[in-house]
Amino acid sequence: MRTVTILGATGSVGTSTLDLIEREPDRFRVTALTAQSDVAGLAAAARRTGAALAVVSDARCLPALREALAGTPTEVAGGPDAVVAAAASGADWTMGAIVGCAGLRPVLAAIAAGGTVVLANKEPLVSAGEIILAAAARSGATLLPADSEHNAIFQCLDRDRPERVRRIVLTGSGGPFRDWSHDAMRAVTPEQAVAHPNWSMGAKISVDSATMFNKGLELIEAARLFPVSHERIEIVIHRQSAIHSLVEYVDGSMLAQIGPSDMRVPIAHTLAWPDRMETPVPPLDLVALGRMDFAAPDLERFPALRLCRQALEAGGARPAILNAANEIAVAAFLERRVGFLQIAAIVEETLQRYHPAGPDTLDAVLAVDAEARAVAGERVKDCVV
Ligand code: NAD
Ligand code: MG
C-alpha cells in the first residue's frame, strides 16, 4: 500500500491522477488532496477516496469545504500555508499538479519530506530549478517527471552514461496555430487558444501550447532535469504527438517513447515506477495513425521559443522573470485584457526592464517572481486589445 498526496487534485493532471489511483484502492491510499477554490470537486474526490486531509488554498472557501465534508473522516484546512503543510505530510508519493509558480513552496515541502515527488508542475523547475534539485539531494527524495516529454526522455535516457547522449529531441505538436500566419494570430481569442488539437489540459498550459511558451518552458525543464547541456536539447515539431520525445546516442541510435496522447500514461509510469501498471487508456493504433511528420519550429512566428532559449542560456534570474511575466500575460489574455501576440511582447519587455542578480535562496526567487509580476502587470495596463 502506497500513500499518495495530490497537490492540485481538481485540475486536469490532478483528476487524471485520481482516475488511476481510484482504480486500485488496494494499492493506493490518499493522504491529502489540495485545490485552489473548487470546493465541490475537492470534496467529491475526498469522499470517493476517503482522503485523510482536504485543503483549499483560498481560505475563504474553508467554511464551504467544512460543510461539504461534514460527517466524513476527512479533516479540512485552508490557506496557502495549509497547502504547504499538506505537502509536507510525508506521503510515499506526491503529485505536484498545481499550475504556475504557486506550486513552488508546496513542491519544496514535499521534497523536504522525502519520498517520491512527481513534477507535472513545470513552472517551479523553471524559476527555481537549482533550489529544487539541491533540496532533493539533501532529503534523498526521488524526483520523477510527469510532463509527457520529460517522462519520455526519462524512459529513454541511460542515466548512468549521460556522456553517451548526443542529443535530446523534445517534440511538440506546435499547438493550434502552428499553420497560422502571424497576422491571423493577432485576433486569436481565448476560446481558440485553449482548444488544443491533441491534448486536453488546463487553461494556462493550453495557452502556453498555443504561444509555444510551453515548449520553451519544457526546454528549460529538460535542462534542469537531465545531465545534458542545453545546446544539445533540440525542439522538433511533430504534429501527431505520438512520439513524446527522443534521446539520440553517440552511435546514432535514437530511442523514442511512443504512446497515446493521454496524461494517464506518463502519470501511471511515475505511480508504478520502477514497475509498470495497467491503465484504461486505449492503445495507440499505429496503422490508424498512418504517418508521423516532423518539422523545424518557426522562431519568427513563435518568439517564445527564442525568449526561453535565451533565458536558459543567460541563467540567473532570467528564467524566473520570464516565467512570472508569462503567467501574468496569460492571465491577462484569458481575461481579454491583452491580445494573443502581446503575451510574448510583455514577456520580452519585462525581461528588458528588470535585471536583478541571480537568486540563490527560495526567498530571493519569490522576490524576483513578485517583482517580475509587478513589472509585467504595469505593461499589461498599457495594452490595448
Ligand atoms: P489546471 O488548471 O487544470 O489545474 C491546476 C490545479 O492547481 C487545480 O487543482 C487548482 O485548484 C490548483 N491551483 C491553481 N492555482 C493554485 C494556487 N494559486 N494555489 C494552490 N493551488 C492552485 O492545470 P493542469 O493543466 O492540471 O496543469 C497543472 C500543472 O501541470 C501545470 O504546471 C502544467 O504546466 C503541468 N502539466 C499539465 C499537463 C496537462 O495535460 N494538463 C501536461 C504536462 C504538464
Ligand atoms: Mg509537455
Side-chain angles (χ1 to χ4, degrees):
M1 183 68 103
R2 261 185 131 181
T3 54
V4 169
T5 284
I6 306 176
L7 308 169
T10 55
S12 169
V13 171
T15 50
S16 290
T17 309
L18 280 166
D19 179 67
L20 292 168
I21 63 167
E22 285 179 54
R23 285 167 199 275
E24 300 206 35
D26 298 336
R27 194 164 169 186
F28 303 110
R29 191 173 64 234
V30 174
T31 300
L33 300 175
T34 81
Q36 166 77 336
S37 55
D38 177 2
V39 168
L42 181 63
R47 280 180 184 270
R48 291 196 311 272
T49 58
L53 174 65
V55 182
V56 271
S57 181
D58 183 341
R60 292 168 303 183
C61 300
L62 180 57
L65 182 66
R66 183 170 288 125
E67 194 180 325
L69 287 172
T72 72
T74 304
E75 291 203 26
V76 294
D81 289 340
V83 174
V84 173
S89 58
D92 300 326
W93 187 97
T94 300
M95 166 56 83
I98 291 174
V99 59
C101 221
L104 175 56
R105 287 205 309 135
V107 155
L108 279 173
I111 290 172
T116 298
V117 179
V118 177
L119 294 171
N121 186 196
K122 64 194 84 186
E123 295 90 348
L125 267 177
V126 169
S127 296
E130 284 165 22
I131 290 168
I132 288 174
L133 296 181
R138 266 197 311 276
S139 72
T142 302
L143 291 185
L144 295 177
D147 206 349
S148 58
E149 298 76 5
H150 306 76
N151 184 266
I153 295 163
F154 183 83
Q155 294 195 47
C156 297
L157 190 69
D158 181 351
R159 284 181 299 284
D160 295 331
R161 293 185 188 78
E163 70 282 4
R164 302 283 191 264
V165 173
R166 186 189 283 157
R167 210 163 51 116
I168 283 177
V169 181
L170 266 181
T171 53
S173 70
F177 311 129
R178 63 194 164 210
D179 302 321
W180 289 36
S181 70
H182 187 265
D183 269 351
M185 280 194 271
R186 203 177 302 280
V188 158
T189 64
E191 290 75 20
Q192 289 171 314
V194 299
H196 194 278
N198 303 352
W199 296 91
S200 155
M201 309 182 287
K204 194 264 178 180
I205 183 176
S206 295
V207 175
D208 284 348
S209 298
T211 57
M212 295 208 69
F213 265 106
N214 184 51
K215 210 47 59 184
L217 296 175
E218 289 183 354
L219 168 72
I220 302 174
E221 181 186 6
R224 308 285 201 223
L225 288 173
F226 305 115
V228 173
S229 62
H230 60 79
E231 61 280 6
R232 291 193 289 141
I233 309 174
E234 260 178 52
I235 294 169
V236 168
I237 303 302
H238 164 47
R239 58 175 60 225
Q240 292 90 356
S241 299
I243 292 184
H244 297 300
S245 278
L246 309 93
V247 177
E248 180 182 315
Y249 288 89
V250 289
D251 59 5
S253 290
M254 296 178 93
L255 301 190
Q257 188 262 352
I258 308 181
S261 309
D262 187 316
M263 281 300 289
R264 288 175 299 180
V265 175
I267 294 168
H269 176 262
T270 67
L271 262 175
W273 186 83
D275 196 357
R276 296 267 177 183
M277 64 187 275
E278 301 253 357
T279 73
V281 181
L284 177 64
D285 182 337
L286 289 173
V287 175
L289 176 67
R291 58 186 277 180
M292 292 196 271
D293 296 290
F294 303 96
D298 184 338
L299 303 188
E300 297 297 322
R301 284 186 303 132
F302 296 101
L305 294 172
R306 171 177 54 82
L307 293 172
C308 291
R309 174 79 69 180
Q310 287 168 349
L312 173 60
E313 284 169 9
R318 314 311 287 161
I321 297 168
L322 172 134
N323 177 70
N326 183 53
E327 288 194 33
I328 292 296
V330 170
F333 169 71
L334 288 169
E335 292 165 3
R336 296 185 159 76
R337 288 156 58 216
V338 309
F340 183 73
L341 293 179
Q342 287 173 315
I343 297 172
I346 290 166
V347 172
E348 183 152 28
E349 280 179 40
T350 305
L351 283 161
Q352 282 163 359
R353 286 183 195 186
Y354 181 41
H355 289 275
D360 49 14
T361 62
L362 173 61
D363 285 347
V365 171
L366 294 173
V368 166
D369 177 79
E371 182 60 21
R373 283 168 197 269
V375 174
E378 285 304 312
R379 178 65 181 72
V380 165
K381 285 187 201 151
D382 298 337
C383 287
V384 185
V385 196

